[in-house]
Amino acid sequence: MRRVRKNRPSRGARTTAAAALGVFLLAALTTGCKVETAGTTGTGTAKPVTHLTQDAKDDGKPRGDRATPTAVPPPTPSARRSPEARTLMAAGDRGGRVRELQARLRQIGHFDRNPTGYYGTVTDASVRSFQGKRGLPRTGRTDAETWERLLAMTRKPTARELDPPTTLPVAKPDPRCLKGRVMCVSKSSRTLSWMIDGKVLMSMDVRFGSQYTPTREGTFSVFWKSRHHVSTLYDSPMPYAMFFSGGQAVHYSSDFAARGYSGASHGCVNVRDEGKIASLYGQVRKGDKVVVH
């Protein structure tokens, strides 16, 4: 009987099949431990290395997911972060820091008067001028960047720069001011001097009423003091009021502090330095003399 031989693959076919099986087993063994380099995807297509987002760079808190790289351009070497645009001082503010701001602005020619400690329209305009010269937004508000630039360009003000006596030279005292406790008010020099027995203890800038509501001249005495007074006639605040003739008084004026001599009172003696009028108010007694000349 003739033996029938089973069909067997040829030697070449067996070789090809064995090679294919080897490739398959190798692929199976390496699945799951594939190493991906930064910037590659599962398809094996390489992407350029990108910069991480700000959260990925700066956030130190644990995160449940990985920060996803995003294609943002790298910062240029010349770029720098500006200080936060946080307002430090603005119109209506007052105090020692405002006084320092004004003194520093005056050092470099952006504030043309003595510091008052009040942030009014003049200070606002001075800050705008400074900001415009330095390429900063002309807001009139003193933000962190404006303040830092000003600090870098100026020195710490002296006590005299922060609290100068008066804008104009103090006038020679009227003879009526040489005895006793006197507020000696000079219209010619626009100053008030607080004097005791002929000695000037302090002086300050003042302004007076207009031609329609002039400040009375003569010798008077303080008959009433009112720390938080508000005018019943004009409904305007008159802090540190010391009345000497009817409704006329020596008192602080925020309008004077803000606008200077461009305005006028309704007959009162306005003081624009709040610190000085506060000190004067604490020293003056009822019955002390007032000389307006």
Side-chain angles (χ1 to χ4, degrees):
M1 177 181 288
R2 189 177 180 180
R3 181 178 293 180
V4 179
R5 297 180 62 184
K6 294 180 180 181
N7 292 330
R8 293 182 180 179
S10 65
R11 179 174 296 179
R14 288 199 303 270
T15 303
T16 301
L21 178 60
V23 171
F24 175 79
L25 291 175
L26 180 61
L29 289 172
T30 57
T31 299
C33 60
K34 178 172 61 177
V35 177
E36 292 186 5
T37 58
T40 62
T41 64
T43 61
T45 304
K47 289 187 176 181
V49 178
T50 55
H51 293 267
L52 295 179
T53 61
Q54 190 66 27
D55 282 343
K57 289 189 293 183
D58 296 343
D59 191 355
K61 297 180 181 179
R63 295 176 61 97
D65 58 338
R66 291 181 180 271
T68 304
T70 57
V72 295
T76 59
S78 61
R80 69 176 183 88
R81 292 183 61 185
S82 298
E84 184 183 356
R86 177 170 55 91
T87 298
L88 304 178
M89 290 170 275
D93 289 344
R94 63 186 65 194
R97 199 174 192 185
V98 175
R99 187 181 293 274
E100 181 181 353
L101 168 70
Q102 294 167 336
R104 287 180 180 273
L105 288 170
R106 188 174 188 181
Q107 287 178 12
I108 53 178
H110 286 279
F111 193 73
D112 62 353
R113 60 191 60 193
N114 287 339
T116 64
Y118 180 80
Y119 205 122
T121 55
V122 174
T123 304
D124 184 284
S126 298
V127 171
R128 288 177 190 272
S129 173
F130 174 80
Q131 290 169 330
K133 289 280 189 180
R134 272 76 206 173
L136 302 173
R138 293 169 57 93
T139 64
R141 300 186 302 273
T142 303
D143 56 31
E145 185 171 9
T146 300
W147 182 241
E148 288 184 8
R149 293 288 292 275
L150 182 60
L151 290 180
M153 297 180 62
T154 56
R155 54 176 170 73
K156 183 178 180 179
T158 65
R160 189 174 181 83
E161 288 175 324
L162 290 171
D163 194 21
T166 56
T167 299
L168 299 174
V170 178
K172 182 179 180 180
D174 185 277
R176 292 170 291 178
C177 301
L178 299 179
K179 292 183 179 181
R181 300 164 57 88
V182 188
M183 285 192 284
C184 193
V185 183
S186 168
K187 285 188 173 181
S188 61
S189 67
R190 296 186 290 190
T191 60
L192 180 155
S193 294
W194 170 235
M195 304 177 64
I196 296 181
D197 294 330
K199 182 179 180 180
V200 177
L201 301 182
M202 72 169 69
S203 298
M204 59 202 73
D205 294 330
V206 292
R207 73 177 183 183
F208 308 97
S210 67
Q211 60 177 324
Y212 305 106
T213 55
T215 302
R216 302 182 189 100
E217 299 181 11
T219 302
F220 312 92
S221 62
V222 175
F223 64 87
W224 182 33
K225 294 174 63 180
S226 179
R227 166 66 181 81
H228 301 287
H229 193 78
V230 177
S231 171
T232 57
L233 183 60
Y234 300 105
D235 193 31
S236 59
M238 300 169 57
Y240 306 103
M242 294 171 280
F243 289 88
F244 61 86
S245 177
Q248 295 189 357
V250 176
H251 68 85
Y252 171 70
S253 169
S254 60
D255 181 73
F256 184 24
R259 299 198 298 144
Y261 291 103
S262 60
S265 74
H266 291 98
C268 289
V269 178
N270 288 167
V271 178
R272 71 176 177 186
D273 190 314
E274 188 173 12
K276 286 186 176 181
I277 187 67
S279 177
L280 179 63
Y281 185 87
Q283 298 178 57
V284 171
R285 305 169 187 166
K286 183 178 177 181
D288 284 347
K289 190 161 49 174
V290 180
V291 175
V292 182
H293 63 96

